Amino acid sequence: MTDVNAMRTQYYTASSLDGFLATPDDSLEWLFPLGDINETSYPEFIREVGALAMGSATYEWMLWHVVKSDQSGSWPYTQPTWVFSSRQLPGVPGADIRFVRGDVRPVHAQMQAAAAGRNVWLVGGGDLVGQFHDASLLDEIIVQVGSVTLGAGKPLLPRRITSPSLQLLSARRIGDGFAELHYRVPKA
Ligand SMILES: NC(=O)c1ccc[n+]([C@@H]2O[C@H](COP(=O)([O-])OP(=O)(O)OC[C@H]3O[C@@H](n4cnc5c(N)ncnc54)[C@H](OP(=O)(O)O)[C@@H]3O)[C@@H](O)[C@H]2O)c1
């Protein structure tokens, strides 16, 4: 039987030092020169992921910059992915992508069942992760803080989390480009 208590719901992402996931026009051009993903915790993190969730802006970015730019047109994840949108969006042939809308709680239950003991990855954006936090479903935040500021853009996590504060579990330097911070989110 699956031990849902051992599974974690994790927000794993990169942000600028001033707390933005992307520029106002959804560019990530600032991110890629900062370091090599294989030097971060990503390879070990993704091995433990059993289900993913993302908002439509993140999905559309993936469609244009990953799927359509790849010669094979392939989706990069083997795990099932839930995409939140109020619109009808195209899928990717051969990929397990499930379009949903509204309350995150029933979707999270479906994700946990599909993950079968592995973790749930909240890819972003920030407000969608905030909706999971509002429902007390966010366990951890792992953020690679890039050595740049953007001044404006898509926020990392537009919520007030002050008391209890996040609990810092680790901080790791990744070259000159990133500080990787790992937090536990205490349940109020
Ligand atoms: N730096 C990184 O590592 C990183 C990580 C993740 C994302 N990103 C980037 O950051 C940006 C994030 O964009 P974003 O903040 O706009 O967030 P997003 O979560 O990707 O997209 C937001 C959209 O998702 C839909 N949505 C969210 N919650 C919903 C719900 N409960 N029910 C139905 N639809 C819902 C809505 O769009 P509709 O209903 O209109 O479809 C909403 O406008 C993107 O450019 C992405 O590529 C960067």
Side-chain angles (χ1 to χ4, degrees):
M1 197 169 123
T2 301
D3 178 5
V4 292
N5 295 318
M7 305 166 73
R8 287 165 294 166
T9 297
Q10 298 172 311
Y11 182 24
Y12 186 99
T13 192
S15 92
S16 65
L17 178 60
D18 53 345
F20 298 108
L21 296 176
T23 64
D25 59 353
D26 290 308
S27 172
L28 294 179
E29 292 300 310
W30 56 274
L31 177 61
F32 303 115
L34 292 175
D36 178 354
I37 196 168
N38 293 312
E39 288 170 13
T40 70
S41 62
Y42 184 79
E44 61 195 271
F45 162 78
I46 194 68
R47 276 197 293 276
E48 299 302 319
V49 169
L52 291 70
M54 63 182 69
S56 62
T58 302
Y59 178 66
E60 289 183 302
W61 188 95
M62 296 283 301
L63 281 185
W64 283 105
H65 295 88
V66 179
V67 176
K68 295 208 163 117
S69 67
D70 178 358
Q71 297 292 346
S72 61
S74 64
W75 180 246
Y77 307 113
T78 53
Q79 302 92 332
T81 301
W82 279 258
V83 175
F84 282 83
S85 181
S86 60
R87 295 172 290 135
Q88 294 269 0
L89 295 173
V92 178
D96 185 348
I97 296 171
R98 310 171 189 195
F99 296 99
V100 288
R101 64 184 68 187
D103 191 344
V104 299
R105 289 170 297 181
V107 176
H108 186 260
Q110 292 168 29
M111 294 177 73
Q112 282 198 313
R118 292 196 288 165
N119 297 322
V120 167
W121 178 16
L122 305 180
V123 184
D127 183 71
L128 179 63
V129 175
Q131 294 173 48
F132 282 84
H133 179 262
D134 296 343
S136 298
L137 295 172
L138 178 63
D139 298 318
E140 295 182 2
I141 300 170
I142 302 155
V143 56
Q144 288 144 6
V145 181
S147 306
V148 296
T149 62
L150 298 176
K154 301 299 168 76
L156 172 67
L157 186 53
R159 291 295 188 278
R160 181 184 292 264
I161 304 175
T162 54
S163 183
S165 61
L166 303 173
Q167 181 187 2
L168 183 63
L169 299 177
S170 68
R172 186 158 78 94
R173 176 185 181 140
I174 304 167
D176 293 338
F178 291 109
E180 186 172 275
L181 306 177
H182 186 172
Y183 293 97
R184 179 178 296 134
V185 181
K187 298 289 152 70

